[in-house]
Amino acid sequence: MKKFFSLLLTGVMSVMLLAGCGNTANDSSPASSSTPSAGAEERSITIAQSANFSMGFAPGVQSYEATYYMNNFYEGLVEYRDGEYLPCLATDWVSSDDGLTYTFRLRGGKWSDGVEVTASDFVYAWQRLADPATGSVYAPLLSIVSGYAEAQASGDMSLLAVSAKSSTTLVVTLTGHYDWFLREVCTSIATMPLRQDVVQRLKQEADAANDNLKEDETPRRWWSDPTRLVTNGPYTASAEDENALTLTENTAYGKKLTGPEDLTFCFGDTQTAEVLYDQGVVDAVWPLTEEEMAEQMEADETWQAEPVLETYSVMFNCSRLEDESIRKALSLVIDREQLTAMAGITAQPAEGLVPPGVPEDNADLDFRACGGSLLDNDPESYADRCQDAVDLMQNAGYDRGSDLSAELGALEYLYVDQGSNKTVAMALCGMWGHYLGVNVTPRAVTSAELASAMRSGNYTLAGMSVSAVCSDAECFLMDWTTGNRDNFLHYENSAYDTLMSIIAGAEDGSARMGCLHDAEDLLLEIDCAISPLYTVGTAWKLRDTYLGAIRDPRGWFDFRGVYPKPVTVQ
C-alpha cells in the first residue's frame, strides 16, 4: 500500500485551479516549507479548502471553483509540459494543410467502470460546454471552433465543428490559426470527455429525487454526488460529505500511478490550515494567509507571489458613455496606488488589461513586461492627471459633471460585495465626485445580478475581475469585438475588430504579438473602453519533505505525482 498523502489547500479563490494533462509543470516546492517535517511514518493528512463544490465535479461545469480537482478525476487530449506537447488520451494528432482542421487519434483509455473512452465522449462534452443552457464560464474556450457562434445562437449544437470520425478519431475545425488551441483548449479541464449515458441516467435520478423534495432541501443536480460519476483520470471519488472529499485510485486508469493511492480534501479556512500545517498534520497549504505572505516579503525582498490571471477593472458601458473623453476623464482621476493598498498584500497597480504571467510569443517572455505599462500610476503625476481629466470634461461640454448626470440620470457603480470590492467602490466614487463633480452611487449586487446587467447593457459603470479561460493575451482581448455575446463593454470599433481578425488568422508569432499589443493599446489608451485597476497574486507551500506538486500558470494544481523526498543517509 502506497503512502496515503493528503495535501491542504485552503481559501477563497477567483480563478481557475487544478489542471489535468494541461500542466505547464514545475516540480519545485513553492514559497516556504520551514514548518515541522512530515516524517517517514505512514499517515493520513488532509486537503482542506473553502471552494464552492456545490457547482459540481464534471468538465464544463458552471463555475471556476468547481474545477479545482478535475485533473484528478479526468484526463484530456493533450498535456503541455515544459514547452512540449505530450500525448494523453490522444496518441498523436495532425493538422490540415490550411492549419484549420485537427485530427486526433485516441489511445483507447478506460472509464472507471471499464467502458472504453471514445471520440464521441469528447464530442458530447464539447457540445455540452458550448451550449448556453449549460451556462459554463469556460464556453468561450470553444469560440475559436467553427460553428460556435451559430450553435450558440440557434441552440443546435450539431453545428459545432467537432465530430467523431470513428471511436478513436476526433476531428475539430477552427475558424483561424490559433496557436494556443493545443496548449490551452486541448489541455483544459473543461474540454475533458463526458459519458452521455451516465449524465442522462444521473439527470433522471436527480429529477426523480427533486419531485419529492422538501421545502428546506437543496435541489439535486446530476453531478451533486461525485461518488456516482464515472471518471477516466487517476482517481475516483469514494466518499463525500459537506466536510470532506476522499479520492481513491482509479484501477481502470491504465497508467502507473506514481503518487498517492488516496487523496482526502476537507474544507476549512486559511487560519485553520496554518495551524494544522504548523502542527505537522498537513503538508501543503494554498493560499497562504496575508500575514504569512507579508512575512515572506519581509524575510526575502526578492520573494513574489505567483500571478493570478485576472485584472480587477472598471467596466464602462460604451453604449451609454459614448464619449471616450468622458471615459478617459473618469479613468485619469483613479488613484490605483490607493486602491491597491485596499486590495490586499499581493495587489499591484494594473499596467494593462492583460496581467503579468501571460506569455509572449516566446514562453520565456512575459506579455505585460514586453508591452510595458499602458497606464500612468506615478503618484507624482497624479495631480496633473486630475487636471487633464477636468480639462477633458470641460472640452466635452460638461461643467464638473453636473450636465453629465442630467444627461444620463442618476449614475451607479455596480459591484459584488466580496473581499475589498466595497471599500474600492466607495473610494472610486469618492474620486469621481471630488475631482470631477460626477456623483456616482456605489450599489452592491449579486454575481448573477451583475452578469445580467452587464450582458443586457443595463448599467453605466461596474467593477469586475476580467479573467480569461486560458493563458494567452488574445483570450483577454477577444471578447470586446462588435457583436460578441460576452462583450459586456458594448464596445464597437471597426479598427479593433480588424485587428482581432488579423490576429485570428496570423501564422507569424511575432506579427501576432505585435497586433495583440496594438489591440490592447487601442482598447485602453485610445478608446478607454475599460479601466484596469489592479492585479493580484497567490502563494502556496509544500513541506520540504515532499516533491512533485504542480501548479500551472492557469492556477490549476496537480498532486497525483507527489512523493516523499529521498532521505540522504550520512
Side-chain angles (χ1 to χ4, degrees), residues 173-191:
T173 301
L174 308 181
T175 59
H177 296 91
Y178 298 94
D179 64 355
W180 47 272
F181 170 65
L182 286 175
R183 185 183 74 242
E184 302 289 343
V185 177
C186 294
T187 65
S188 175
I189 292 165
T191 58

Side-chain angles (χ1 to χ4, degrees), residues 11-312:
V12 178
M13 306 161 302
S14 54
V15 291
M16 335 169 252
L17 301 170
L18 285 189
C21 297
N23 299 310
T24 309
N26 185 339
D27 280 352
S28 60
S29 294
S32 167
S33 4
S34 57
T35 47
S37 170
E41 74 278 4
E42 193 149 325
R43 54 184 282 180
S44 168
I45 45 183
T46 310
I47 302 169
Q49 57 94 48
S50 57
N52 178 12
F53 274 47
S54 65
M55 297 305 294
F57 293 85
V61 288
Q62 289 87 333
S63 72
Y64 293 124
E65 290 86 352
T67 64
Y68 295 169
Y69 301 112
M70 288 299 102
N71 69 316
N72 292 310
F73 290 99
Y74 300 92
E75 185 169 76
L77 291 168
V78 178
E79 179 176 7
Y80 185 68
R81 188 185 291 266
D82 297 331
E84 294 185 26
Y85 297 105
L86 303 174
C88 271
L89 276 177
T91 57
D92 60 86
W93 50 90
V94 295
S95 60
S96 58
D97 291 340
D98 61 8
L100 300 181
T101 299
Y102 285 78
T103 301
F104 298 89
R105 283 190 286 268
L106 308 186
R107 63 173 170 83
K110 300 286 186 180
W111 291 100
S112 52
D113 62 358
V115 174
E116 185 175 350
V117 179
T118 69
S120 295
D121 296 329
F122 281 96
V123 174
Y124 173 69
W126 289 34
Q127 288 179 345
R128 181 179 175 276
L129 175 62
D131 192 342
T134 302
S136 175
V137 294
Y138 287 96
L141 266 177
L142 301 184
S143 62
I144 64 174
V145 177
S146 182
Y148 173 84
E150 293 81 1
Q152 285 226 321
S154 66
D156 181 2
M157 293 302 111
S158 67
L159 298 176
L160 190 71
V162 180
S163 61
K165 189 175 180 180
S166 70
S167 64
T168 58
T169 305
L170 179 71
V171 180
V172 182
T173 301
L174 308 181
T175 59
H177 296 91
Y178 298 94
D179 64 355
W180 47 272
F181 170 65
L182 286 175
R183 185 183 74 242
E184 302 289 343
V185 177
C186 294
T187 65
S188 175
I189 292 165
T191 58
M192 294 176 182
L194 272 177
R195 279 263 299 282
Q196 185 174 9
D197 63 314
V198 173
V199 173
Q200 290 176 340
R201 171 172 53 81
L202 293 177
K203 277 185 176 180
Q204 291 173 356
E205 293 177 4
D207 290 343
N210 291 334
D211 287 340
N212 301 311
L213 197 68
K214 296 180 180 178
E215 187 174 335
D216 59 344
E217 291 181 330
T218 302
R220 281 183 56 182
R221 303 296 297 271
W222 69 267
W223 33 251
S224 295
D225 182 358
T227 64
R228 302 291 309 284
L229 299 175
V230 295
T231 66
N232 73 315
Y235 297 97
T236 59
S238 56
E240 187 262 347
D241 58 32
E242 62 181 8
N243 298 314
L245 170 70
T246 299
L247 278 60
T248 304
E249 182 180 3
N250 176 10
T251 56
Y253 180 46
K255 293 182 181 179
K256 182 180 179 181
L257 188 62
T258 59
E261 288 183 351
D262 305 277
L263 295 172
T264 298
F265 302 86
C266 62
F267 318 133
D269 59 66
T270 54
Q271 298 296 334
T272 301
E274 287 297 330
V275 172
L276 294 176
Y277 186 84
D278 290 341
Q279 293 175 345
V281 176
V282 300
D283 292 295
V285 176
W286 179 87
L288 303 186
T289 62
E290 291 269 308
E291 293 78 11
E292 179 156 2
M293 287 188 282
E295 291 174 4
Q296 292 282 353
M297 292 177 180
E298 184 175 351
D300 181 2
E301 62 181 16
T302 65
W303 184 89
Q304 290 184 332
E306 297 182 27
V308 172
L309 298 182
E310 64 180 47
T311 304
Y312 195 76

